[in-house]
PDB file of all heavy atoms in Angstrom:
ATOM      1  N   GLY I 967    -189.522-153.568 147.616  1.00  0.00           N
ATOM      2  CA  GLY I 967    -189.228-153.632 146.190  1.00  0.00           C
ATOM      3  C   GLY I 967    -188.517-152.399 145.694  1.00  0.00           C
ATOM      4  O   GLY I 967    -188.598-151.349 146.314  1.00  0.00           O
ATOM      5  N   PRO I 968    -187.803-152.504 144.563  1.00  0.00           N
ATOM      6  CA  PRO I 968    -187.170-151.302 144.016  1.00  0.00           C
ATOM      7  C   PRO I 968    -188.226-150.331 143.488  1.00  0.00           C
ATOM      8  O   PRO I 968    -189.234-150.752 142.918  1.00  0.00           O
ATOM      9  CB  PRO I 968    -186.300-151.843 142.882  1.00  0.00           C
ATOM     10  CG  PRO I 968    -186.856-153.173 142.541  1.00  0.00           C
ATOM     11  CD  PRO I 968    -187.517-153.703 143.766  1.00  0.00           C
ATOM     12  N   LEU I 969    -188.013-149.050 143.701  1.00  0.00           N
ATOM     13  CA  LEU I 969    -188.960-148.027 143.261  1.00  0.00           C
ATOM     14  C   LEU I 969    -188.235-147.049 142.351  1.00  0.00           C
ATOM     15  O   LEU I 969    -187.064-146.757 142.562  1.00  0.00           O
ATOM     16  CB  LEU I 969    -189.522-147.250 144.452  1.00  0.00           C
ATOM     17  CG  LEU I 969    -190.468-147.959 145.407  1.00  0.00           C
ATOM     18  CD1 LEU I 969    -190.814-147.026 146.548  1.00  0.00           C
ATOM     19  CD2 LEU I 969    -191.716-148.404 144.679  1.00  0.00           C
ATOM     20  N   THR I 970    -188.955-146.563 141.354  1.00  0.00           N
ATOM     21  CA  THR I 970    -188.426-145.453 140.583  1.00  0.00           C
ATOM     22  C   THR I 970    -189.268-144.227 140.941  1.00  0.00           C
ATOM     23  O   THR I 970    -190.488-144.278 140.910  1.00  0.00           O
ATOM     24  CB  THR I 970    -188.508-145.736 139.073  1.00  0.00           C
ATOM     25  OG1 THR I 970    -187.922-147.003 138.844  1.00  0.00           O
ATOM     26  CG2 THR I 970    -187.760-144.686 138.288  1.00  0.00           C
ATOM     27  N   VAL I 971    -188.593-143.164 141.314  1.00  0.00           N
ATOM     28  CA  VAL I 971    -189.295-141.994 141.837  1.00  0.00           C
ATOM     29  C   VAL I 971    -188.982-140.788 140.958  1.00  0.00           C
ATOM     30  O   VAL I 971    -187.820-140.555 140.602  1.00  0.00           O
ATOM     31  CB  VAL I 971    -188.836-141.717 143.289  1.00  0.00           C
ATOM     32  CG1 VAL I 971    -189.470-140.439 143.814  1.00  0.00           C
ATOM     33  CG2 VAL I 971    -189.170-142.888 144.191  1.00  0.00           C
ATOM     34  N   ARG I 972    -190.043-140.056 140.569  1.00  0.00           N
ATOM     35  CA  ARG I 972    -189.815-138.801 139.855  1.00  0.00           C
ATOM     36  C   ARG I 972    -189.677-137.694 140.893  1.00  0.00           C
ATOM     37  O   ARG I 972    -190.546-137.517 141.738  1.00  0.00           O
ATOM     38  CB  ARG I 972    -190.967-138.494 138.895  1.00  0.00           C
ATOM     39  CG  ARG I 972    -190.693-137.286 138.027  1.00  0.00           C
ATOM     40  CD  ARG I 972    -191.724-137.089 136.938  1.00  0.00           C
ATOM     41  NE  ARG I 972    -191.777-138.190 135.972  1.00  0.00           N
ATOM     42  CZ  ARG I 972    -190.894-138.355 134.981  1.00  0.00           C
ATOM     43  NH1 ARG I 972    -189.906-137.497 134.829  1.00  0.00           N
ATOM     44  NH2 ARG I 972    -190.994-139.365 134.152  1.00  0.00           N
ATOM     45  N   VAL I 973    -188.552-136.959 140.806  1.00  0.00           N
ATOM     46  CA  VAL I 973    -188.215-135.992 141.841  1.00  0.00           C
ATOM     47  C   VAL I 973    -189.151-134.789 141.780  1.00  0.00           C
ATOM     48  O   VAL I 973    -189.342-134.207 140.709  1.00  0.00           O
ATOM     49  CB  VAL I 973    -186.761-135.513 141.657  1.00  0.00           C
ATOM     50  CG1 VAL I 973    -186.407-134.476 142.708  1.00  0.00           C
ATOM     51  CG2 VAL I 973    -185.814-136.688 141.704  1.00  0.00           C
ATOM     52  N   SER I 974    -189.765-134.438 142.915  1.00  0.00           N
ATOM     53  CA  SER I 974    -190.554-133.201 142.936  1.00  0.00           C
ATOM     54  C   SER I 974    -189.845-132.128 143.751  1.00  0.00           C
ATOM     55  O   SER I 974    -190.081-130.935 143.581  1.00  0.00           O
ATOM     56  CB  SER I 974    -191.943-133.464 143.491  1.00  0.00           C
ATOM     57  OG  SER I 974    -191.842-133.850 144.836  1.00  0.00           O
ATOM     58  N   ALA I 975    -188.964-132.543 144.667  1.00  0.00           N
ATOM     59  CA  ALA I 975    -188.164-131.571 145.405  1.00  0.00           C
ATOM     60  C   ALA I 975    -186.913-132.295 145.876  1.00  0.00           C
ATOM     61  O   ALA I 975    -186.991-133.385 146.418  1.00  0.00           O
ATOM     62  CB  ALA I 975    -188.935-131.021 146.599  1.00  0.00           C
ATOM     63  N   ALA I 976    -185.771-131.681 145.641  1.00  0.00           N
ATOM     64  CA  ALA I 976    -184.514-132.334 146.022  1.00  0.00           C
ATOM     65  C   ALA I 976    -183.674-131.399 146.863  1.00  0.00           C
ATOM     66  O   ALA I 976    -183.866-130.190 146.854  1.00  0.00           O
ATOM     67  CB  ALA I 976    -183.739-132.752 144.769  1.00  0.00           C
ATOM     68  N   GLY I 977    -182.725-131.977 147.569  1.00  0.00           N
ATOM     69  CA  GLY I 977    -181.740-131.198 148.317  1.00  0.00           C
ATOM     70  C   GLY I 977    -182.381-130.220 149.277  1.00  0.00           C
ATOM     71  O   GLY I 977    -183.204-130.590 150.101  1.00  0.00           O
ATOM     72  N   ARG I 978    -182.037-128.955 149.111  1.00  0.00           N
ATOM     73  CA  ARG I 978    -182.477-127.890 150.022  1.00  0.00           C
ATOM     74  C   ARG I 978    -183.991-127.768 150.112  1.00  0.00           C
ATOM     75  O   ARG I 978    -184.524-127.281 151.090  1.00  0.00           O
ATOM     76  CB  ARG I 978    -181.903-126.536 149.559  1.00  0.00           C
ATOM     77  CG  ARG I 978    -180.439-126.397 149.811  1.00  0.00           C
ATOM     78  CD  ARG I 978    -180.189-125.607 151.079  1.00  0.00           C
ATOM     79  NE  ARG I 978    -179.202-126.299 151.882  1.00  0.00           N
ATOM     80  CZ  ARG I 978    -179.383-126.619 153.165  1.00  0.00           C
ATOM     81  NH1 ARG I 978    -180.489-126.323 153.781  1.00  0.00           N
ATOM     82  NH2 ARG I 978    -178.436-127.228 153.840  1.00  0.00           N
ATOM     83  N   ASP I 979    -184.710-128.183 149.007  1.00  0.00           N
ATOM     84  CA  ASP I 979    -186.153-127.967 148.974  1.00  0.00           C
ATOM     85  C   ASP I 979    -186.936-129.135 149.535  1.00  0.00           C
ATOM     86  O   ASP I 979    -188.135-129.020 149.743  1.00  0.00           O
ATOM     87  CB  ASP I 979    -186.613-127.735 147.528  1.00  0.00           C
ATOM     88  CG  ASP I 979    -185.906-126.548 146.916  1.00  0.00           C
ATOM     89  OD1 ASP I 979    -185.689-125.581 147.652  1.00  0.00           O
ATOM     90  OD2 ASP I 979    -185.569-126.604 145.725  1.00  0.00           O
ATOM     91  N   SER I 980    -186.278-130.289 149.753  1.00  0.00           N
ATOM     92  CA  SER I 980    -187.029-131.460 150.180  1.00  0.00           C
ATOM     93  C   SER I 980    -187.641-131.207 151.557  1.00  0.00           C
ATOM     94  O   SER I 980    -187.182-130.365 152.319  1.00  0.00           O
ATOM     95  CB  SER I 980    -186.128-132.688 150.224  1.00  0.00           C
ATOM     96  OG  SER I 980    -185.260-132.600 151.320  1.00  0.00           O
ATOM     97  N   SER I 981    -188.697-131.973 151.837  1.00  0.00           N
ATOM     98  CA  SER I 981    -189.417-131.727 153.093  1.00  0.00           C
ATOM     99  C   SER I 981    -188.492-131.932 154.284  1.00  0.00           C
ATOM    100  O   SER I 981    -188.596-131.249 155.292  1.00  0.00           O
ATOM    101  CB  SER I 981    -190.614-132.652 153.187  1.00  0.00           C
ATOM    102  OG  SER I 981    -190.200-133.988 153.001  1.00  0.00           O
ATOM    103  N   LEU I 982    -187.532-132.865 154.133  1.00  0.00           N
ATOM    104  CA  LEU I 982    -186.577-133.139 155.203  1.00  0.00           C
ATOM    105  C   LEU I 982    -185.765-131.893 155.518  1.00  0.00           C
ATOM    106  O   LEU I 982    -185.595-131.491 156.669  1.00  0.00           O
ATOM    107  CB  LEU I 982    -185.658-134.263 154.740  1.00  0.00           C
ATOM    108  CG  LEU I 982    -184.781-134.919 155.766  1.00  0.00           C
ATOM    109  CD1 LEU I 982    -185.646-135.604 156.787  1.00  0.00           C
ATOM    110  CD2 LEU I 982    -183.877-135.922 155.091  1.00  0.00           C
ATOM    111  N   HIS I 983    -185.283-131.252 154.441  1.00  0.00           N
ATOM    112  CA  HIS I 983    -184.441-130.083 154.649  1.00  0.00           C
ATOM    113  C   HIS I 983    -185.225-128.876 155.095  1.00  0.00           C
ATOM    114  O   HIS I 983    -184.753-128.075 155.883  1.00  0.00           O
ATOM    115  CB  HIS I 983    -183.663-129.764 153.365  1.00  0.00           C
ATOM    116  CG  HIS I 983    -182.307-130.363 153.395  1.00  0.00           C
ATOM    117  ND1 HIS I 983    -181.257-129.782 154.051  1.00  0.00           N
ATOM    118  CD2 HIS I 983    -181.852-131.519 152.892  1.00  0.00           C
ATOM    119  CE1 HIS I 983    -180.206-130.554 153.942  1.00  0.00           C
ATOM    120  NE2 HIS I 983    -180.531-131.614 153.246  1.00  0.00           N
ATOM    121  N   ARG I 984    -186.479-128.792 154.588  1.00  0.00           N
ATOM    122  CA  ARG I 984    -187.312-127.670 155.033  1.00  0.00           C
ATOM    123  C   ARG I 984    -187.527-127.768 156.534  1.00  0.00           C
ATOM    124  O   ARG I 984    -187.479-126.782 157.252  1.00  0.00           O
ATOM    125  CB  ARG I 984    -188.636-127.684 154.280  1.00  0.00           C
ATOM    126  CG  ARG I 984    -188.560-126.974 152.940  1.00  0.00           C
ATOM    127  CD  ARG I 984    -189.910-126.418 152.538  1.00  0.00           C
ATOM    128  NE  ARG I 984    -190.963-127.402 152.665  1.00  0.00           N
ATOM    129  CZ  ARG I 984    -191.225-128.316 151.743  1.00  0.00           C
ATOM    130  NH1 ARG I 984    -190.528-128.352 150.629  1.00  0.00           N
ATOM    131  NH2 ARG I 984    -192.195-129.187 151.921  1.00  0.00           N
ATOM    132  N   MET I 985    -187.729-129.007 157.000  1.00  0.00           N
ATOM    133  CA  MET I 985    -187.908-129.225 158.429  1.00  0.00           C
ATOM    134  C   MET I 985    -186.634-128.843 159.182  1.00  0.00           C
ATOM    135  O   MET I 985    -186.682-128.171 160.209  1.00  0.00           O
ATOM    136  CB  MET I 985    -188.255-130.694 158.662  1.00  0.00           C
ATOM    137  CG  MET I 985    -188.650-131.024 160.070  1.00  0.00           C
ATOM    138  SD  MET I 985    -190.097-130.120 160.595  1.00  0.00           S
ATOM    139  CE  MET I 985    -191.339-131.386 160.596  1.00  0.00           C
ATOM    140  N   ALA I 986    -185.473-129.254 158.643  1.00  0.00           N
ATOM    141  CA  ALA I 986    -184.208-128.926 159.294  1.00  0.00           C
ATOM    142  C   ALA I 986    -184.009-127.416 159.359  1.00  0.00           C
ATOM    143  O   ALA I 986    -183.514-126.883 160.355  1.00  0.00           O
ATOM    144  CB  ALA I 986    -183.057-129.583 158.543  1.00  0.00           C
TER     145      ALA I 986
END
Side-chain angles (χ1 to χ4, degrees):
Chain I
L969 290 176
T970 309
V971 175
R972 186 172 297 282
V973 179
S974 65
R978 287 261 133 233
D979 302 323
S980 73
S981 53
L982 193 64
H983 264 279
R984 275 207 311 277
M985 188 61 107

